[in-house]
Amino acid sequence: MSIDQEKPSFELSELSIDQLQEQIKSGEASSRSLVDKYIERIEQIDDQLRSVIELNPDARAIAEEMDRERSAGHSRGPLHGIPVMVKDNIDSADKMKTAAGSLALVDAPTPR
């Protein structure tokens, strides 16, 4: 399938962070369900785009922790539990490799 061919619509594509937070607060969604939907979307379309180098292997576990924190009445702020993507030149202090596309940085130490 070429990039120009129509892809299935994505239910979250036009939602704002505020709208996603409302879905989480209402119980319509969870951080985990959002991560699952975004990963599924990446799997649907990135074979042609090749824009995602790596997914955080702990994304689902992190989302579940965010859901537990929210259930306990704690919110870290407006992005609490919202999945985000970052360029591979942004250090994330986890299992993600942040080599900025450079082989010279492949074995760089993980930031604290």
Side-chain angles (χ1 to χ4, degrees), residues 11-69:
E11 65 184 286
L12 303 177
S13 65
E14 297 295 326
L15 295 180
S16 68
I17 290 170
D18 288 338
Q19 290 170 314
L20 292 174
Q21 286 292 2
E22 284 301 318
Q23 285 190 6
I24 293 171
K25 288 177 188 172
S26 73
E28 184 180 342
S30 65
S31 298
R32 171 62 192 258
S33 70
L34 293 177
V35 166
D36 289 341
K37 287 176 184 180
Y38 283 116
I39 289 173
E40 181 179 320
R41 182 62 170 176
I42 290 165
E43 290 170 350
Q44 284 177 348
I45 66 173
D46 204 56
D47 62 324
Q48 294 293 315
L49 298 175
R50 299 181 191 268
S51 60
V52 178
I53 294 172
E54 179 181 17
L55 293 174
N56 189 326
D58 296 328
R60 288 182 172 101
I62 293 167
E64 289 168 358
E65 178 60 26
M66 297 300 103
D67 288 332
R68 281 191 294 276
E69 287 182 14

Side-chain angles (χ1 to χ4, degrees), residues 41-107:
R41 182 62 170 176
I42 290 165
E43 290 170 350
Q44 284 177 348
I45 66 173
D46 204 56
D47 62 324
Q48 294 293 315
L49 298 175
R50 299 181 191 268
S51 60
V52 178
I53 294 172
E54 179 181 17
L55 293 174
N56 189 326
D58 296 328
R60 288 182 172 101
I62 293 167
E64 289 168 358
E65 178 60 26
M66 297 300 103
D67 288 332
R68 281 191 294 276
E69 287 182 14
R70 186 182 301 276
S71 293
H74 176 70
S75 175
R76 297 180 185 204
L79 288 176
H80 184 100
I82 302 296
V84 297
M85 290 184 71
V86 296
K87 289 182 64 65
D88 72 336
N89 61 349
I90 306 295
D91 284 332
S92 56
D94 56 21
K95 293 179 184 173
M96 297 288 292
K97 295 175 181 75
T98 51
S102 171
L103 292 176
L105 296 175
V106 168
D107 294 320

